Amino acid sequence: MLLTIRLARQKSRTLKNTHLLYLFYSTNTPPISTTKAIPAYPFVSSNVSRVDELHPKDVVLSFNEWFMSRKNPIFDRIFEILRTQDDITADIAMSRFNLRLSEVLVLDVLNYEKNKDILSCLKFFDWAGRQLGFHHTRATFNAIFKILSKEKLMSLMVEFLDKYMKQRYFHKARFYNTLVIGYAVAGKPELALQLFGRMRFQGVDLDAFAYNVLLNALVEDGFYDGFEMVLKQIKFRGFEDAITHAIFVKSLCQQTELDRAEEYLRGLLRNGGVGLSGIVVANLVDALCKNKEFTRAASLVQDFRESGLVPMEQAYSVWIKDLTQAGELSEAVYFLKGKKLVDGYVPDVFRYNSLVCRLLRENRLEEVYDLLMDMKEQDIIPDDVTMNVTLCFFCKVGMADVALELYDSRAEFGLSVSSMTYNYLINTLLGDASVNEAYLVLKNAIQQGYFPGRRTFSIIADALCREGKLDRVKELVLASLDRNCMPSDSMYNKFISALCRASRVEDGYLVHGELSRLDKVTSRTTYFDLISGFNKSSRGDIAARLLIEMQEKGHSPDRRLYRAVICCLCQMEDPEKLFYSLLEVQLSQHEPSCLVYNYFIDGAGHAGKPELARDVYEMMTRNGITPNLQSEILMLQSYLKAGKIADALNYFRDLSNRRNLGRKLWNTMIVGLCKANKPDNAWNMFWEMRSTHLRPSMECYEELVKLLCAWREYYKAICLVEDLMQVGRRVSSFIGNVLLLHSLQTQRVFSAWMHSRDLNNTKDQSLVLGDLINTFSGGSNLDSDISQIEELIRQCFPLDIYTCNLLLRKLSISGMDLACNYFESLCKKGYEPNRWTYDILVHGFLKDGRPSEARRWMDEMFSKGFDLTEATKAFV
């Protein structure tokens, strides 16, 4: 299957400094148009990108072969032995290779793993130095020193030098040379100077190479007095060479004496180029570019190139580096291509890498591809940076499958994956919905000591949580903690909440404990989820402990949370002890007030423990806290919820004997009696309240009408509705729907209304309601005047979806086609069908003997997440 690579189209940038490029190409260079910043790419026309179609497997194979070009099986085996075996065993194994040690071989081995396995490089260096017939040279010592200094392992390097000082089998001059070089490279020029002084006292001198290394270290350390002294010694001994000149120019540049440096360099050129080298020119070019003097640097490069006396590769390399760092990427690419075409210049892998990396960050993918192809064609051996940027490139152009295959083969060509590559891979795979692959990459990243960043970690953890793969999230979290990598607090909280929702509250509690151990504060929402989880698993003791803990962490629980914890405690063994223990802690943590007592009265009432609620209520008084209205309401509700009607009535009477009661207590009493299924008590209490000239709440009317209708006390229900209208209030949708529902079931509702009309002075609104009840009782047909019926309902009470369902049910009796038409009109009007809407249609089609249509509506119903009612299930 062909996979299309479409690289992003990039707009060509006009060169900012045409004169600058003219300096490079005006002489001895074929004319190159300066109207284009970048030459046309092999797969892109000058104006429009065209599509290159390649088999992904071919792409993988091609890059795999390139990456494998860096491998050396013998060197791999050497480093494997040095990494995995102790010194004695490693010595025996190394001797079996029968290596013919030479300076070149040792340098090649050290260079092979210099950026990865520093300790093994040091072991190899030590092993080679102990072999008969081989002595480390200035070059091998310099190589190991550079490796150690580059990796900033100065303490290890100083330890190595101290150990080296104890070995007396070296020639004294060579011994001191090596130490001076070592301390100079290690950034310890003061120690190097001390050794230099000791040497001179003993009549021993440095060689030319060591002098230059020391001189360079003094420049880099800014020790210019010492620099001048050593420079005089070099000149006195006739050791001055091209390297010395380069260091001298470097010192001038470092002191921003650029004019003097340029004059010094041009003086060498006028003297026939004696002492000139590429690095001398490169040092000044670098300094000029850093000083933003690009035109002057360009002129300098052009002059020295035309002289033909200096190899310019190092100057070209520095120029590309400086253009890249200055963000002049088009110019850098253009310069590289021009010099490659004219001078045959090929940058080293490091210079290619720095330019490619910068282009990748700028999303200039065409140029990235072009340079990678250049590197392949020039047989430049890729290093880790090259391979990592290649994987990132494939991620950016949408070829995640290619990047993943190369990543999976990383062990074959010894790739150390960078954190940037891990991030690109993970995010690209997540974008392709490849959560499992992203998880495996992230897991490997953490095992390798890379933490791709909190945001990336959170994205993949969220995706795994959504898919319910909580064990994998737990594995990632634990692996990251083992390596001291800290995911974000929000990720932890989401994970804990997901575990709680999946009924794995114990696991969530363990993660929470880990957070606490790390001095991280779990969020308020997560505490709620944990407490809810332990409540569901009947572990009220842990829930109570978490409730106290969350308060200590600065979070405030609400009444519902208190209620849930107290209810759970009351279902455990010895509930009173647990209840009072939690109450005692809460009272000790807060200033005395009604709030805490009310939480416990409310919790005890919902737990069906009115005796505990009463005890807390009385405790308030004993502790000098006067119960407020909320306390009295909660106490009353505690009796009513537990079915202690006599106690509720006695408490209510006791309160009424002490003072005049307000609407809230009356309403609480009436609604509570209704919910306790006590219609007579509720009816009497209602009219007792009316006798005090207080108006009951709409909830009182609604609950009592519903209860009376359930007991088929329709006349009383109609009387309540009449009273509601007489006090100037409109019938609510809830009351109207209850009356219509019972009207559908029995003619007695209409009969009760007729009886009420005959006995009372009925208002016009009641007459309209009577007509409506009559219609639903079968007094008239709904097949032709549904809109008129809706208008009639609106005159009585607001229409809602439950009213529409009643109309739909009435229509289904007249005919299912009428019902379907009405369903469509409801949807057009913006009503959202609910479970009962679909159930009415399914039931109607089944009753009408049309099972196939019933099945179609059932399928739609199930797709919405609804289930059939028990009555319809029985009919099925």
Side-chain angles (χ1 to χ4, degrees):
M1 179 180 180
L2 289 176
L3 180 69
T4 300
I5 307 175
R6 185 180 296 275
L7 297 174
R9 183 177 178 181
Q10 304 288 337
K11 292 183 179 179
S12 296
R13 297 171 60 208
T14 304
L15 290 178
K16 294 182 178 179
N17 199 330
T18 307
H19 174 64
L20 182 149
L21 287 172
Y22 176 76
L23 288 172
F24 283 130
Y25 299 110
S26 59
T27 49
N28 300 328
T29 305
I32 298 176
S33 172
T34 58
T35 59
K36 296 178 183 177
I38 307 173
Y41 293 98
F43 58 100
V44 181
S45 68
S46 58
N47 295 313
V48 182
S49 299
R50 66 180 174 85
V51 176
D52 225 17
E53 294 186 338
L54 299 170
H55 285 285
K57 288 187 177 179
D58 293 339
V59 176
V60 172
L61 180 61
S62 173
F63 278 88
N64 217 328
E65 288 176 353
W66 183 37
F67 290 172
M68 287 297 292
S69 67
R70 71 193 293 264
K71 297 299 288 178
N72 184 314
I74 295 177
F75 290 0
D76 286 335
R77 181 63 185 143
I78 287 173
F79 278 98
E80 182 183 355
I81 290 169
L82 295 171
R83 268 193 301 267
T84 59
Q85 298 182 14
D86 59 55
D87 291 344
I88 297 174
T89 310
D91 279 0
I92 297 170
M94 291 288 290
S95 65
R96 292 175 182 156
F97 283 108
N98 294 319
L99 295 175
R100 293 184 178 178
L101 290 175
S102 66
E103 180 183 87
V104 174
L105 177 61
V106 172
L107 291 175
D108 286 345
V109 173
L110 292 177
N111 190 59
Y112 191 68
E113 289 280 330
K114 65 181 180 181
N115 295 322
K116 292 183 181 179
D117 193 348
I118 310 305
L119 187 59
S120 294
C121 286
L122 198 54
K123 281 184 174 182
F124 176 78
F125 184 89
D126 180 62
W127 173 83
R130 290 185 280 107
Q131 305 309 301
L132 293 175
F134 177 77
H135 298 285
H136 280 300
T137 65
R138 183 175 60 191
T140 60
F141 272 111
N142 195 45
I144 194 66
F145 291 153
K146 281 188 175 179
I147 290 171
L148 292 172
S149 62
K150 185 177 180 181
E151 294 298 323
K152 305 191 187 313
L153 300 173
M154 295 304 181
S155 60
L156 184 62
M157 184 169 178
V158 172
E159 180 185 337
F160 174 82
L161 291 169
D162 291 341
K163 178 181 176 184
Y164 177 67
M165 286 181 70
K166 297 173 184 177
Q167 299 177 6
R168 294 294 183 180
Y169 50 84
F170 291 100
H171 185 271
K172 184 181 288 187
R174 200 169 114 200
F175 170 74
Y176 278 118
N177 266 320
T178 302
L179 283 177
V180 169
I181 292 170
Y183 283 118
V185 174
K188 302 284 186 181
E190 68 282 359
L191 292 178
L193 276 177
Q194 288 176 17
L195 281 170
F196 176 58
R198 191 186 306 173
M199 288 176 66
R200 297 302 306 277
F201 182 75
Q202 296 179 5
V204 182
D205 202 358
L206 295 173
D207 61 18
F209 178 81
Y211 263 117
N212 281 326
V213 172
L214 177 57
L215 190 69
N216 186 66
L218 293 169
V219 170
E220 292 187 349
D221 199 53
F223 191 1
Y224 296 113
D225 290 339
F227 169 80
E228 293 294 341
M229 183 268 291
V230 173
L231 182 60
K232 287 178 182 177
Q233 293 294 321
I234 290 173
K235 291 180 177 179
F236 179 74
R237 283 161 180 74
F239 288 162
E240 190 174 24
D241 58 11
I243 297 174
T244 314
H245 291 302
I247 298 170
F248 180 69
V249 170
K250 181 178 179 180
S251 75
L252 293 175
C253 293
Q254 197 162 296
Q255 297 174 79
T256 65
E257 295 188 46
L258 302 183
D259 293 339
R260 185 180 167 194
E262 183 175 356
E263 180 57 34
Y264 181 81
L265 214 59
R266 292 190 181 277
L268 294 177
L269 185 62
R270 287 192 295 270
N271 290 334
V274 177
L276 272 176
S277 66
I279 190 62
V280 180
V281 180
N283 281 342
L284 182 54
V285 169
D286 191 32
L288 289 170
C289 289
K290 286 176 179 176
N291 204 41
K292 307 298 182 186
E293 298 185 52
F294 291 103
T295 304
R296 184 176 171 187
S299 176
L300 184 76
V301 171
Q302 186 64 22
D303 289 348
F304 278 85
R305 175 180 175 274
E306 289 175 355
S307 73
L309 298 174
V310 185
M312 298 299 294
E313 287 79 4
Q314 288 171 307
Y316 293 161
S317 182
V318 166
W319 178 254
I320 292 171
K321 179 201 74 171
D322 289 326
L323 286 175
T324 302
Q325 291 177 348
E328 303 292 342
L329 303 183
S330 296
E331 288 83 343
V333 173
Y334 192 34
F335 178 80
L336 186 152
K337 289 181 174 294
K339 288 305 174 185
K340 177 184 170 187
L341 178 67
V342 176
D343 294 349
Y345 164 68
V346 178
D348 59 17
V349 67
F350 175 78
R351 196 59 58 222
Y352 263 118
N353 286 342
S354 61
L355 183 53
V356 169
C357 287
R358 188 66 181 267
L359 289 167
L360 185 72
R361 284 199 298 272
E362 300 277 337
N363 272 336
R364 299 171 67 158
L365 303 178
E366 293 173 347
E367 290 147 297
V368 171
Y369 180 83
D370 195 22
L371 290 178
L372 288 174
M373 292 303 101
D374 261 0
M375 294 175 76
K376 282 188 66 182
E377 291 166 6
Q378 298 296 330
D379 292 326
I380 292 176
I381 296 176
D383 60 9
D384 276 342
V385 176
T386 315
M387 293 187 286
N388 276 295
V389 79
T390 301
L391 265 65
C392 293
F393 166 75
F394 283 123
C395 289
K396 278 209 168 190
V397 297
M399 298 181 70
D401 49 349
V402 173
L404 189 60
E405 282 201 52
L406 290 172
Y407 167 80
D408 289 339
S409 304
R410 62 193 180 280
E412 296 177 20
F413 37 80
L415 168 63
S416 292
V417 184
S418 69
S419 56
M420 181 178 74
T421 304
Y422 277 124
N423 276 323
Y424 270 111
L425 266 174
I426 292 167
N427 288 315
T428 304
L429 291 169
L430 286 174
D432 291 345
S434 304
V435 179
N436 288 332
E437 289 82 356
Y439 155 76
L440 293 173
V441 174
L442 177 57
K443 181 181 175 183
N444 177 260
I446 295 173
Q447 288 172 346
Q448 297 302 317
Y450 290 107
F451 192 73
R454 292 184 171 188
R455 183 174 178 275
T456 301
F457 192 99
S458 295
I459 291 171
I460 190 169
D462 286 349
L464 290 170
C465 284
R466 285 194 300 271
E467 293 188 3
K469 297 175 179 177
L470 302 180
D471 286 328
R472 290 192 162 185
V473 182
K474 182 180 177 182
E475 189 177 347
L476 290 176
V477 169
L478 293 177
S480 64
L481 290 175
D482 285 343
R483 288 157 181 82
N484 294 320
C485 299
M486 283 299 300
S488 66
D489 292 353
S490 63
M491 196 288 302
Y492 272 122
N493 288 308
K494 288 178 184 178
F495 179 42
I496 294 170
S497 296
L499 288 168
C500 293
R501 288 192 297 271
S503 301
R504 295 177 56 179
V505 67
E506 290 84 2
D507 287 338
Y509 189 58
L510 288 174
V511 179
H512 163 73
E514 191 64 32
L515 263 182
S516 299
R517 186 180 66 80
L518 297 168
D519 293 328
K520 299 289 184 179
V521 178
T522 301
S523 71
R524 182 174 184 266
T525 304
T526 306
Y527 267 114
F528 274 57
D529 290 334
L530 279 168
I531 292 170
S532 175
F534 280 113
N535 285 334
K536 289 177 183 177
S537 59
S538 301
R539 292 299 308 273
D541 52 339
I542 300 180
R545 191 186 312 153
L546 286 167
L547 181 73
I548 296 167
E549 182 185 302
M550 74 178 287
Q551 291 172 303
E552 293 172 347
K553 300 292 186 181
H555 301 309
S556 300
D558 59 14
R559 174 178 294 176
R560 285 183 295 178
L561 194 65
Y562 271 106
R563 180 189 300 163
V565 172
I566 292 169
C567 286
C568 188
L569 289 175
C570 289
Q571 293 171 1
M572 299 180 68
E573 292 182 11
D574 202 0
E576 289 81 4
K577 180 181 178 181
L578 295 171
F579 178 87
Y580 287 115
S581 176
L582 180 60
L583 175 60
E584 182 181 351
V585 173
Q586 293 301 302
L587 291 175
S588 68
Q589 289 184 341
H590 300 87
E591 289 293 326
S593 69
C594 289
L595 184 64
V596 175
Y597 289 105
N598 288 347
Y599 284 157
F600 280 80
I601 295 171
D602 176 68
H606 278 83
K609 301 282 186 180
E611 67 281 0
L612 288 177
R614 184 67 189 218
D615 193 32
V616 174
Y617 181 81
E618 293 175 352
M619 189 187 299
M620 293 174 68
T621 307
R622 291 197 302 271
N623 292 337
I625 306 294
T626 303
N628 58 16
L629 176 61
Q630 189 65 27
S631 309
E632 294 169 345
I633 290 173
L634 291 171
M635 190 63 245
L636 185 58
Q637 288 175 334
S638 297
Y639 284 128
L640 293 168
K641 289 180 194 304
K644 303 284 187 178
I645 305 303
D647 291 336
L649 290 170
N650 290 334
Y651 176 69
F652 186 79
R653 297 304 176 197
D654 181 58
L655 289 175
S656 64
N657 290 334
R658 283 186 272 152
R659 69 174 195 276
N660 290 329
L661 302 182
R663 289 180 71 242
K664 289 187 177 181
L665 275 169
W666 281 102
N667 288 334
T668 300
M669 190 66 183
I670 295 167
V671 172
L673 289 169
C674 290
K675 290 182 178 180
N677 201 23
K678 299 295 179 181
D680 293 336
N681 295 105
W683 173 263
N684 294 332
M685 191 64 67
F686 177 89
W687 290 110
E688 189 177 340
M689 179 182 180
R690 290 289 285 116
S691 69
T692 64
H693 304 293
L694 294 174
R695 289 186 181 182
S697 65
M698 183 61 74
E699 186 183 12
C700 286
Y701 282 103
E702 290 176 347
E703 290 295 333
L704 191 49
V705 168
K706 182 178 75 169
L707 179 63
L708 292 170
C709 287
W711 281 80
R712 299 186 182 277
E713 297 279 355
Y714 297 120
Y715 176 72
K716 288 184 177 180
I718 294 296
C719 288
L720 281 178
V721 176
E722 292 280 358
D723 181 72
L724 180 67
M725 290 187 286
Q726 283 178 6
V727 297
R729 299 175 73 178
R730 193 181 184 193
V731 175
S732 69
S733 299
F734 181 87
I735 292 174
N737 290 334
V738 168
L739 292 175
L740 295 186
L741 174 64
H742 284 271
S743 298
L744 279 172
Q745 297 170 350
T746 176
Q747 292 276 352
R748 290 178 58 188
V749 181
F750 182 66
S751 299
W753 179 83
M754 291 287 291
H755 183 54
S756 174
R757 186 194 64 177
D758 294 340
L759 294 178
N760 302 305
N761 183 19
T762 304
K763 291 194 169 192
D764 291 342
Q765 189 179 356
S766 180
L767 292 173
V768 175
L769 181 62
D771 290 342
L772 191 58
I773 292 171
N774 185 31
T775 299
F776 272 76
S777 297
S780 64
N781 205 336
L782 292 181
D783 57 357
S784 59
D785 54 0
I786 187 66
S787 59
Q788 294 178 6
I789 298 300
E790 285 183 338
E791 184 56 36
L792 192 64
I793 292 172
R794 287 191 185 93
Q795 293 177 29
C796 297
F797 59 86
L799 214 73
D800 62 14
I801 187 61
Y802 297 99
T803 318
C804 296
N805 286 342
L806 291 169
L807 281 168
L808 188 67
R809 184 172 173 184
K810 181 69 176 175
L811 284 170
S812 68
I813 298 171
S814 301
M816 287 309 299
D817 292 335
L818 291 172
C820 288
N821 291 336
Y822 184 61
F823 176 87
E824 291 178 5
S825 71
L826 287 179
C827 294
K828 290 177 181 177
K829 291 176 184 176
Y831 287 102
E832 187 70 29
N834 59 20
R835 178 192 181 194
W836 289 272
T837 315
Y838 288 105
D839 190 80
I840 290 165
L841 291 171
V842 172
H843 192 99
F845 277 117
L846 288 171
K847 198 171 181 179
D848 204 34
R850 297 159 72 175
S852 59
E853 291 176 84
R855 170 55 60 185
R856 181 173 64 82
W857 283 102
M858 269 193 280
D859 290 341
E860 185 173 342
M861 180 181 186
F862 296 153
S863 71
K864 302 283 186 180
F866 302 130
D867 195 11
L868 296 170
T869 62
E870 294 302 320
T872 304
K873 285 180 183 177
F875 195 62
V876 172

